[in-house]
Amino acid sequence: MVYDCDSLFDQKQHQEFHNRFLSTKWFRVQSSQLNVWKRAAFCIVEQFEGNYSHIFCITQTSKCTLKTRVDKIILECINKELGYTPDLAQVWTSDGRRQAWVYVTASDKYYFIGAVALVEKISRKQLQYAEENSAANNDIIPTSNNVYMGVNRIWVHQTLRRRGIAALLLDHARSYFVSSDSVPREMIAFSSLTDSGLAFARNYISGGKVLLYNLNPETCH
């Protein structure tokens, strides 16, 4: 197929392709598909800002088509928006430690995937404070099992930002991350953050002391 710059149709198609992530159409979910996902994956249904929202949790072993859809969104959209390099772009790990939390909401016409949070188990040795003038790393609060929740990637569609959806996703992830108890906010660490991501993390974490973590635990000593 050859792109004709003088063709109005080709110009429109070209523009729609490059702007596909700015609208919600590319993230659209059919109602029938949503019902299938609700039967196949862990799902929380709740009202948020007057709409019924569906929050799903999937793992590397999930068999439903939601996993395939989320993989595509992360690889083709989220990684590009967050600036992830190819060596860090993979969604899942060989040890299966990650969970993907997915927020599906309704527009005036259809449901669409509006946010994704990819979280994983990390250890204390991977952690460091984001600010140089924060407490020393050996002052990081230990947990009873030396496991913290790492936020590998978190993304919210541009039409839904600054409405508390990222915090909502992380709150649910914290509540179900371990079977015994909810993970406190101060036990959450983030991978590399954009400026807006750092601002969110400071607002979300109690006391504003943001923890970062090394994505490769094998390099930590």
Side-chain angles (χ1 to χ4, degrees):
M1 181 177 180
V2 178
Y3 169 64
D4 182 0
C5 62
D6 295 322
S7 167
L8 293 178
F9 176 79
D10 282 4
Q11 289 180 22
K12 181 181 178 182
Q13 293 292 100
H14 182 76
Q15 186 174 18
E16 286 181 354
F17 175 79
H18 286 286
N19 294 334
R20 65 194 185 282
F21 301 142
L22 300 180
S23 72
T24 58
K25 186 177 180 180
W26 192 77
F27 305 90
R28 181 175 180 173
V29 175
Q30 299 288 345
S31 296
S32 58
Q33 187 66 76
L34 183 65
N35 290 329
V36 171
W37 292 347
K38 287 164 65 176
R39 294 192 297 269
F42 176 83
C43 179
I44 300 168
V45 181
E46 64 181 29
Q47 274 197 318
F48 185 76
E49 294 187 341
N51 290 325
Y52 279 103
S53 300
H54 299 75
I55 299 172
F56 294 91
C57 178
I58 57 174
T59 65
Q60 186 165 338
T61 58
S62 297
K63 302 298 183 182
C64 62
T65 56
L66 173 59
K67 179 178 179 293
T68 304
R69 185 72 183 278
V70 170
D71 287 353
K72 181 179 178 67
I73 289 174
I74 291 176
L75 293 173
E76 296 187 19
C77 171
I78 297 176
N79 284 350
K80 293 180 180 179
E81 283 202 17
L82 299 182
Y84 264 63
T85 55
D87 59 316
L88 300 175
Q90 73 274 10
V91 179
W92 308 104
T93 60
S94 59
D95 58 6
R97 66 179 180 269
R98 290 179 179 170
Q99 301 173 353
W101 287 81
V102 187
Y103 177 84
V104 179
T105 190
S107 65
D108 294 336
K109 298 180 179 179
Y110 50 77
Y111 288 101
F112 68 97
I113 294 175
V116 176
L118 194 62
V119 301
E120 59 188 333
K121 289 183 178 180
I122 57 175
S123 64
R124 188 181 179 209
K125 65 181 181 180
Q126 294 175 250
L127 303 177
Q128 64 180 31
Y129 281 109
E131 291 84 3
E132 292 182 359
N133 59 353
S134 293
N137 290 340
N138 56 11
D139 291 334
I140 293 172
I141 301 172
T143 63
S144 58
N145 54 7
N146 197 34
V147 174
Y148 297 73
M149 189 178 87
V151 181
N152 182 275
R153 269 158 279 190
I154 186 165
W155 166 88
V156 179
H157 192 276
Q158 293 187 32
T159 60
L160 298 177
R161 291 175 186 172
R162 301 185 184 279
R163 292 164 63 175
I165 293 172
L168 178 70
L169 266 188
L170 290 188
D171 284 345
H172 282 298
R174 290 190 303 110
S175 297
Y176 294 93
F177 191 67
V178 291
S179 58
S180 58
D181 201 1
S182 176
V183 177
R185 291 191 178 195
E186 59 268 24
M187 303 300 185
I188 294 178
F190 296 82
S191 63
S192 56
L193 291 168
T194 61
D195 290 342
S196 59
L198 181 58
F200 163 76
R202 285 173 174 160
N203 186 59
Y204 185 75
I205 302 299
S206 302
K209 291 184 178 180
V210 178
L211 285 172
L212 301 179
Y213 73 97
N214 189 325
L215 289 172
N216 186 0
E218 296 179 358
T219 64
C220 301
H221 301 285

